[in-house]
């Protein structure tokens, strides 16, 4: 196992047996380690300030993906693979449900070359940015480096988990910030423009002292299956000013008369795409 010391050096370590049986270390964990006969031994995992779990594909058990996470980066590309609003909405709702602040990274901006690309970019900024859902959106390119400095400023000092479709550039971003890393970047399947799954396990990458990026493989951990229907509304931050202003106290903003959320979507205060995403999630939850 690789650990990172306080100076930011990557060190290979083993885990004392009793630690391993008690609390299996995960990316983002803070630990005490001792040097015993030239061997670094992790002696104790410190209490976790929050964990990120994913439901296991088969059973009801959950798997811990990372600990002490401060922020989620929803990393998507404008194209190759094509931007999918559904993915972004799901990841954002999931992050809100876990009380984790989320940021959108729009990668591959070097491929933003024609009017259709530019209008898609502008729409994404309008729907999700500060004039819309209220998230920070960073257009970047791992190819040219554009936008990466601003993004690094934004995540300085934080432990950040990335989620995004395969091929959107998660590994490329980690590698851009830390070129010495031995990470595998996936080729794109030219027929479908879908990435190959090259990142097998969650991996912690130190960008600079105290800034860490956790590259994750699967998408399941950001599932929204377990969110109760009447809690979904709170996972859309731009709905919050209107919640409580509907005619009915228990309004879930679907077809109730006198719904403040619905009228905000009709007059454009809430973007109709986001309101429709909410409706879709409610229908799925039923
Ligand atoms: N044009 C362009 N290609 C990129 C960019 N970032 C990543 N890629 C390419 O996208 C493919 C998938 O990247 P990868 O980092 O493995 O994606 P991941 O599955 O999200 O980890 C690789 O061929 C990268 O070279 C970018 O900013 N611009
Ligand atoms: Mg990857
Ligand atoms: Zn309502």
């Amino acid at each position: 196992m690789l650990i990172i010391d306080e100076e930011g050096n990557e060190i290979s370590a083993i885990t004392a047996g009793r630690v391993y049986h008690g609390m299996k270390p995960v990316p983002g964990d803070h630990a005490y380690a001792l040097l015993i006969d030239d061997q670094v031994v992790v002696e104790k995992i410190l209490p976790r300030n929050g964990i990120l779990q994913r439901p296991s594909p088969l059973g009801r058990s959950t798997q811990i993906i990372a600990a002490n996470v401060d922020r989620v980066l929803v990393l998507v590309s404008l194209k190759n693979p094509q931007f999918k609003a559904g993915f972004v909405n799901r990841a954002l709702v999931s992050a809100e449900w876990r009380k984790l602040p989320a940021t959108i990274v729009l990668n591959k901006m070097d491929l933003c070359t024609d009017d259709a690309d530019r209008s898609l970019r502008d729409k994404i900024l309008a729907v999700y940015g500060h004039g819309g859902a209220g998230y920070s959106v960073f257009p970047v390119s791992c190819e040219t480096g554009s936008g990466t400095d601003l993004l690094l400023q934004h995540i300085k000092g934080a432990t950040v988990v990335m989620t995004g479709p395969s091929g959107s550039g998660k590994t490329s971003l980690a590698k851009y910030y830390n070129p010495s890393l031995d990470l595998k970047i996936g080729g794109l399947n030219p027929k479908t423009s879908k990435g190959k799954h090259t990142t097998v396990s969650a991996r912690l990458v130190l960008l600079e002292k105290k800034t860490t990026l956790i590259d994750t493989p699967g998408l399941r951990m950001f599932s929204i299956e377990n969110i109760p229907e009447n809690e979904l509304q709170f996972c859309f931050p731009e709905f919050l000013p209107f919640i409580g202003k509907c005619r009915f106290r228990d309004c879930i903003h679907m077809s109730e008369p006198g719904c403040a959320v619905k009228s905000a979507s009709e007059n454009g205060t809430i973007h109709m795409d986001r309101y429709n995403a909410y409706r879709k999630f409610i229908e799925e939850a039923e």
Side-chain angles (χ1 to χ4, degrees):
M1 163 173 74
L2 277 179
I3 62 170
I4 295 166
D5 71 8
E6 292 193 319
E7 273 75 54
N9 308 304
E10 275 197 335
I11 301 168
S12 160
I14 60 166
T15 311
R18 64 180 177 285
V19 172
Y20 205 80
H21 292 298
M23 210 175 177
K24 193 171 180 269
V26 299
D29 262 328
H30 299 297
Y32 280 131
L34 293 176
L35 186 61
I36 303 172
D37 298 336
D38 291 344
Q39 173 67 66
V40 179
V41 181
V42 172
E43 284 285 317
K44 189 176 162 58
I45 306 290
L46 301 184
R48 289 169 178 158
N49 178 18
I51 49 168
L52 196 59
Q53 292 176 299
R54 81 169 144 204
S56 85
L58 297 171
R60 283 187 195 83
S61 67
T62 54
Q63 184 188 350
I64 301 175
I65 295 297
N68 306 309
V69 175
D70 298 311
R71 182 171 290 276
V72 174
L73 290 190
V74 181
L75 197 148
V76 293
S77 47
L78 205 59
K79 56 185 185 190
N80 301 354
Q82 181 63 35
F83 176 84
K84 285 210 173 69
F87 176 89
V88 174
N89 288 323
R90 249 167 241 282
L92 293 175
V93 163
S94 175
E96 296 293 338
W97 176 241
R98 295 155 191 276
K99 304 261 182 286
L100 285 173
T103 293
I104 298 169
V105 180
L106 196 55
N107 187 30
K108 310 204 185 184
M109 290 310 293
D110 55 294
L111 304 179
C112 179
T113 47
D114 62 22
D115 284 346
D117 298 335
R118 281 186 286 270
S119 71
L120 176 59
R121 173 201 59 197
D122 293 345
K123 183 176 179 195
I124 294 166
L125 289 166
V127 174
Y128 297 99
H130 293 301
Y135 293 97
S136 295
V137 184
F138 289 88
V140 305
S141 168
C142 297
E143 200 74 21
T144 67
S146 72
T148 51
D149 284 355
L150 277 176
L151 176 60
L152 187 56
Q153 283 295 318
H154 178 71
I155 60 174
K156 225 183 173 93
T159 297
V160 172
V161 148
M162 292 187 282
T163 184
S166 184
S168 64
K170 297 176 292 299
T171 307
S172 300
L173 185 68
K175 205 158 179 166
Y176 179 85
Y177 286 134
N178 197 340
S180 66
L181 284 169
D182 175 31
L183 297 176
K184 266 205 176 140
I185 293 182
L188 287 174
N189 178 333
K191 278 206 184 113
T192 61
S193 261
K194 279 189 180 151
K196 296 177 192 154
H197 287 273
T198 36
T199 314
V200 238
S201 61
R203 162 105 206 227
L204 191 142
V205 168
L206 192 79
L207 302 187
E208 52 179 69
K209 210 172 163 182
K210 296 219 184 272
T211 305
T212 43
L213 204 53
I214 299 173
D215 185 359
T216 59
L219 308 174
R220 281 188 63 83
M221 86 180 131
F222 287 98
S223 87
I224 61 170
E225 281 158 39
N226 303 320
I227 307 178
E229 187 188 83
N230 59 352
E231 295 285 343
L232 267 171
Q233 56 187 313
F234 300 106
C235 300
F236 286 75
E238 73 271 46
F239 291 11
L240 298 182
F242 304 98
I243 293 172
K245 295 190 175 142
C246 306
R247 188 176 306 162
F248 299 109
R249 275 199 62 170
D250 59 353
C251 187
I252 60 158
H253 326 302
M254 291 296 279
S255 46
E256 298 94 332
C259 173
V261 172
K262 190 165 193 192
S263 44
S265 74
E266 281 157 1
N267 71 29
T269 319
I270 290 172
H271 201 286
M272 191 51 90
D273 286 10
R274 290 274 291 169
Y275 177 65
N276 286 334
Y278 168 77
R279 291 188 68 91
K280 188 166 171 247
F281 293 160
I282 288 283
E283 279 156 13
E284 281 176 18
E286 272 165 359

